[in-house]
Amino acid sequence: MGRFHRILEPGLNILIPVLDRIRYVQSLKEIVINVPEQSAVTLDNVTLQIDGVLYLRIMDPYKASYGVEDPEYAVTQLAQTTMRSELGKLSLDKVFRERESLNANIVDAINQAADCWGIRCLRYEIKDIHVPPRVKESMQMQVEAERRKRATVLESEGTRESAINVAEGKKQAQILASEAEKAEQINQAAGEASAVLAKAKAKAEAIRILAAALTQHNGDAAASLTVAEQYVSAFSKLAKDSNTILLPSNAGDVTSMVAQAMGVYGALTKAPVPGAQDSVSSRNSRDVQGTNGSLDEELDRVKLS
């Protein structure tokens, strides 16, 4: 008779003709509704064309039938208004980055308003977002500028790393070069010290041999002959490096020069042992007399040469 009586369950139901009549038939399956494309303005005043897909299910058939005239139309309009409201809270960049959070906010807002209609919104998905051509060009330029910026930053970082590596390499090279130079100087100093020591040992050995030779028979005569030879050799090298030379007054008298050198040598030698002086003097005098002839002949030969 036009008044709600009961909800028929699935299966066999008995109705009284004329008195009972089925007024609404509601499907309890999940319903997919396309939300038409609409305009929305973002927080930074960019107009977008956006559409979506709504998934819902009727939870209470009584409320869906008597709570609202057309539940699908009502939910669609609610989804559109909620979507415009949520987009107005976000800037253009965040719309693309936060699509999942935007969908979740729209679902929560629809469920709060559609609870009295016996309808539950399961999920909402944004299908397409259309940006104005000029805004799209600006976004493309921004993307290109960002890419150029990243390329410049990466190139500068590469240059910095390269400079650091080159500086580090030069530092290591200088350290190694200094260590090598230090080792070379140490080795050179050790070699020079060894050479000086070897020269000193050789000179000491030569002095010992010379001292032993001078104490032998005719040692003084041999020393005189050596001094004479060195005197003549020195005269042969005069005026080779410079044309200014200093000569003694008796430069041609080799005998006096040798006698003078031997006198200095004799003054530097130690005094003989007492008791043996006479024997040494007599032996030296005999040796000198015996070698005077040979020494004079040698000096004449040197003068001639």
Side-chain angles (χ1 to χ4, degrees):
M1 302 297 291
R3 184 177 181 183
F4 175 74
H5 175 56
R6 63 191 174 110
I7 298 176
L8 300 180
E9 298 295 334
L12 182 61
N13 295 277
I14 298 175
L15 299 177
I16 301 173
V18 181
L19 296 179
D20 294 332
R21 185 178 61 177
I22 299 175
R23 182 66 179 85
Y24 299 101
V25 178
Q26 302 291 350
S27 175
L28 302 181
K29 296 179 180 179
E30 185 173 346
I31 303 173
V32 180
I33 302 175
N34 289 322
V35 179
E37 185 178 5
Q38 61 175 342
S39 299
V41 180
T42 61
L43 183 62
D44 48 358
N45 296 325
V46 178
T47 302
L48 301 178
Q49 298 292 328
I50 189 169
D51 56 1
V53 179
L54 185 64
Y55 299 85
L56 55 87
R57 175 178 291 173
I58 297 177
M59 307 302 295
D60 189 346
Y62 175 78
K63 292 182 180 180
S65 300
Y66 294 95
V68 63
E69 182 66 25
D70 190 349
E72 294 184 3
Y73 177 77
V75 171
T76 302
Q77 296 299 315
L78 181 60
Q80 289 181 341
T81 56
T82 306
M83 184 169 54
R84 285 195 297 266
S85 176
E86 292 295 331
L87 286 176
K89 300 177 183 178
L90 301 175
S91 61
L92 180 61
D93 296 334
K94 290 185 178 181
V95 169
F96 294 98
R97 291 198 302 263
E98 300 181 3
R99 294 183 65 169
E100 294 183 359
S101 61
L102 180 61
N103 294 334
N105 293 335
I106 294 174
V107 170
D108 293 338
I110 292 174
N111 287 330
Q112 291 178 5
D115 185 46
C116 60
W117 300 339
I119 298 174
R120 180 173 180 81
C121 181
L122 301 178
R123 58 188 178 276
Y124 178 85
E125 297 294 337
I126 297 176
K127 290 176 60 177
D128 297 319
I129 299 177
H130 300 284
V131 183
R134 297 185 62 181
V135 176
K136 185 181 294 185
E137 293 177 1
S138 301
M139 293 175 63
Q140 187 67 26
M141 294 175 60
Q142 182 180 1
V143 171
E144 293 178 358
E146 187 67 24
R147 290 179 179 175
R148 287 195 298 268
K149 175 184 176 182
R150 287 199 299 265
T152 304
V153 171
L154 292 176
E155 183 178 0
S156 63
E157 290 180 355
T159 304
R160 184 186 66 177
E161 293 294 334
S162 176
I164 291 174
N165 292 335
V166 171
E168 188 69 23
K170 290 182 180 179
K171 176 183 176 182
Q172 295 295 331
Q174 290 179 357
I175 292 175
L176 293 177
S178 64
E179 291 180 354
E181 185 178 0
K182 177 182 177 182
E184 181 181 2
Q185 291 178 357
I186 292 174
N187 294 333
Q188 184 177 0
E192 291 178 356
S194 299
V196 171
L197 182 60
K199 289 180 180 179
K201 290 182 178 179
K203 189 172 183 180
E205 186 66 22
I207 291 174
R208 284 195 296 269
I209 295 174
L210 180 61
L214 290 176
T215 58
Q216 294 180 2
H217 183 68
N218 294 331
D220 294 339
S224 299
L225 178 61
T226 302
V227 172
E229 289 178 350
Q230 292 181 357
Y231 181 80
V232 173
S233 177
F235 262 93
S236 65
K237 296 179 180 180
L238 291 176
K240 285 187 177 181
D241 297 333
S242 175
N243 56 4
T244 303
I245 57 176
L246 296 177
L247 296 175
S249 59
N250 56 349
D253 191 0
V254 180
T255 305
S256 62
M257 295 296 297
V258 172
Q260 183 179 359
M262 294 305 297
V264 174
Y265 168 74
L268 293 176
T269 56
K270 294 182 179 180
V273 180
Q277 183 176 3
D278 296 336
S279 61
V280 173
S281 299
S282 59
R283 186 174 68 251
N284 290 338
S285 62
R286 288 194 301 271
D287 294 338
V288 171
Q289 291 175 2
T291 57
N292 279 336
S294 61
L295 181 61
D296 292 338
E297 294 176 359
E298 184 68 23
L299 292 176
D300 292 338
R301 186 167 60 254
V302 169
K303 289 180 180 179
L304 292 175
S305 61

